[in-house]
Amino acid sequence: MVNYFYLGAFVVYLLLVLGIGAWGYQKTSTVTDFWVYGKDLGPWLATWSYVANFVSAVSVIGFIGSVYGGGYSIITGIVLGLMLGVTALYFVVDKVRELDQVTFPDLIAHVTGREWARPVAAVPLLANAWVYLIMQLVGASLLVTTITGVPYKYMIWVIGFVFIAYTVMGGLVSVAWTDLIQGTLMVTTVFGALIYMMIDLGGIATINNQFAAMSTANVAPLGEGAYTLIGVLASIVAFFGTIFTSQSTIVRINATKDIRTAKFHLAAAGLILSIFYIMLVWLGGATTVALENAGLAVDNVDQAFPVLITEYVPTSIGVVIILAVMSAILSTTDTRLHSTGITTARDLYEYFRPEASDQKLLKISRYSTIFWGLTATAIAVNPPGTIISLYEFRAILLTSAFLIPIYVALYWRGAAGTAIIASIVAGTLLGVGWRLGGGFYGIPPTFVGVGAALITLVIGNFVWSRETSPTTPTTRGD
């Protein structure tokens, strides 16, 4: 049955973000505006844009679902790795800005001195962004379908159309300003929801005691079979590796006004995110206790939070929470979609058409944004896995491909450029292949991918040691 109250709130929200997209279109006249906000992102706009980009369907629906299914061990297995990644990123900002590039493949081409590194690096980046789009759409549509009663198969296309439309119109201008609103709304609302649940259930101590009484594994650092020590280490490496190797992260660093702004926005965002994730995990525990007390059970852990909203909290509170979750989902979705347009235009099309004008690149960015958005929406109609499983897959992909070769390339400028690129290819193929094959001998795919990348880099550097060191990069003539 359709809930018109929830549906009305959702429609108003979509109209708001579409309005911002239309405003962003008026402010976007060049490809630099579309890609990197004219390189003029200020500190607070950049901070909230990064916070909103970081928090997604995985963080809200997926993390709460993970706590529902496996307890607080998600802090050990995933959150720690993510926060370590943000911390490490702060210390490489100088290196990134010093290279004065636009995209992650640009950076790779620069440090290797090989222009053909751009399309090679673009492939895993596009695959990552596309998988991310799918899981975001799944999370958004699952939530809205649950709360409004509109069938999933229709809602997926409505949400897909809206986020494609406002991202295509204004690029990073639209994305950054919608992120500012969505990020602020998201953090304050989750805080409010946690306060409500604490009052309703008798405080955080009571919640934790009931959570532990349900199963001692809920409050164990490694859970009950959810993680092993080697699994935790692999997870930390995987999620640590996704932060720096994200196209959207590099784009935002290069879109800020200067190095000081770039560092400030990461430090401030890191502090906000750390507090936010603590609140989110507590909210996951409160959700589990509330549903248990109310006799409400779910078959799919991703449905835990939507069921809390529709079946437990008052409608007035539910509407506010819905807006927060939608903010989290759409703010990350538009960022990933925006990055697919940049990657396709800058790192693929422009490589093969170096004479392309800025206006042509702007058109290709918009066309490819539509293409990747529509195909991701089509796949999300019948998703290939849960939100967390998709998130883990793209973490393995990015970390296996880029963690070792790129950090080595940034700090060891004597490494052979061809060896670095070969390391990217080997890590991608073996890490992803190991994951798709189901894994063997209990060895995590992340270890296989990172290990293959490291071995290839060492052997390759010996084989191609006579190459000229990439101290003078080959870059696009602007």
Side-chain angles (χ1 to χ4, degrees):
M1 182 176 178
V2 176
N3 185 319
Y4 291 101
F5 188 78
Y6 281 133
L7 182 60
F10 177 63
V11 170
V12 170
Y13 179 81
L14 293 185
L15 291 175
L16 173 63
V17 294
L18 278 174
I20 296 174
W23 172 83
Y25 181 77
Q26 301 298 320
K27 301 292 183 180
T28 305
S29 57
T30 69
V31 72
T32 302
D33 293 335
F34 190 91
W35 285 351
V36 288
Y37 200 88
K39 293 197 171 184
D40 197 35
L41 265 182
W44 287 110
L45 184 56
T47 296
W48 282 106
S49 182
Y50 188 76
V51 169
N53 159 56
F54 204 94
V55 180
S56 62
V58 175
S59 300
V60 181
I61 296 178
F63 278 23
I64 287 178
S66 182
V67 173
Y68 178 89
Y72 292 149
S73 59
I74 191 174
I75 295 178
T76 310
I78 295 178
V79 175
L80 179 59
L82 291 174
M83 292 302 97
L84 285 174
V86 175
T87 302
L89 185 60
Y90 177 89
F91 295 101
V92 299
V93 166
D94 288 341
K95 287 285 184 181
V96 174
R97 289 301 296 256
E98 175 186 302
L99 299 177
D100 194 28
Q101 303 301 309
V102 174
T103 66
F104 193 65
D106 277 341
L107 186 151
I108 296 171
H110 188 107
V111 297
T112 61
R114 305 292 183 273
E115 274 294 287
W116 54 275
R118 288 168 60 195
V120 170
V123 172
L125 285 173
L126 276 175
N128 162 70
W130 194 62
V131 171
Y132 217 114
L133 288 176
I134 293 170
M135 68 186 188
Q136 293 299 105
L137 283 165
V138 170
S141 302
L142 181 66
L143 171 69
V144 178
T145 292
T146 302
I147 63 179
T148 65
V150 177
Y152 179 90
K153 63 181 179 180
Y154 301 129
M155 190 53 67
I156 191 81
W157 287 105
V158 172
I159 294 174
F161 170 78
V162 170
F163 87 82
I164 292 170
Y166 80 78
T167 304
V168 166
M169 285 191 285
L172 191 58
V173 176
S174 296
V175 168
W177 281 100
T178 54
D179 283 353
L180 174 64
I181 296 172
Q182 293 171 152
T184 306
L185 179 64
M186 174 184 64
V187 172
T188 55
T189 304
V190 166
F191 176 71
L194 177 61
I195 294 298
Y196 173 83
M197 295 301 293
M198 287 172 62
I199 294 173
D200 182 68
L201 296 172
I204 193 66
T206 301
I207 292 171
N208 286 337
N209 288 337
Q210 291 187 46
F211 197 40
M214 292 167 61
S215 172
T216 56
N218 283 337
V219 293
L222 300 181
E224 188 177 55
Y227 293 99
T228 61
L229 182 58
I230 190 171
V232 168
L233 292 175
S235 181
I236 289 175
V237 171
F239 292 108
F240 168 80
T242 64
I243 307 303
F244 176 63
T245 55
S246 169
Q247 178 81 304
S248 58
T249 297
I250 299 301
V251 167
R252 271 174 171 69
I253 289 175
N254 289 317
T256 52
K257 292 180 178 180
D258 47 40
I259 292 178
R260 181 178 180 181
T261 301
K263 285 196 166 188
F264 174 87
H265 98 280
L266 289 174
L271 176 61
I272 294 169
L273 287 168
S274 297
I275 296 171
F276 179 79
Y277 278 126
I278 291 173
M279 295 192 300
L280 203 59
V281 171
W282 277 346
L283 186 56
T287 297
T288 308
V289 171
L291 295 184
E292 174 73 14
N293 291 346
L296 298 170
V298 297
D299 296 326
N300 184 336
V301 296
D302 287 343
Q303 293 178 330
F305 197 45
V307 168
L308 178 82
I309 297 172
T310 57
E311 303 294 331
Y312 188 85
V313 302
T315 301
S316 57
I317 301 295
V319 168
V320 177
I321 296 175
I322 290 164
L323 294 180
V325 178
M326 288 306 300
S327 295
I329 293 171
L330 287 182
S331 61
T332 306
T333 305
D334 59 28
T335 297
R336 295 301 189 265
L337 182 59
H338 173 250
S339 71
T340 63
I342 296 178
T343 304
T344 304
R346 171 80 177 187
D347 303 313
L348 291 177
Y349 184 84
E350 189 188 27
Y351 175 77
F352 295 104
R353 293 282 194 276
E355 74 286 352
S357 66
D358 281 356
Q359 286 304 308
K360 182 66 174 179
L361 292 175
L362 180 57
K363 287 182 179 179
I364 295 299
S365 294
R366 284 183 164 138
Y367 293 155
S368 56
T369 297
I370 294 172
F371 170 79
W372 291 113
L374 289 177
T375 54
T377 304
I379 295 296
V381 171
N382 186 21
T386 65
I387 292 173
I388 285 292
S389 66
L390 291 171
Y391 191 62
E392 289 174 343
F393 176 82
R394 50 80 56 177
I396 292 167
L397 168 64
L398 278 188
T399 304
S400 298
F402 298 120
L403 181 62
I404 292 296
I406 300 311
Y407 272 101
V408 167
L410 282 176
Y411 290 98
W412 180 28
R413 301 308 296 274
T418 304
I420 293 171
I421 300 170
S423 176
I424 293 172
V425 174
T428 301
L429 293 178
L430 286 175
V432 172
W434 199 267
R435 174 66 171 79
L436 293 177
F440 306 94
Y441 311 112
I443 303 175
T446 304
F447 285 0
V448 174
V450 170
L454 179 60
I455 292 170
T456 303
L457 184 64
V458 172
I459 296 175
N461 196 65
F462 176 77
V463 173
W464 292 293
S465 60
R466 295 185 180 181
E467 283 187 353
T468 303
S469 298
T471 52
T472 304
T474 307
T475 55
R476 171 180 180 259
D478 289 328

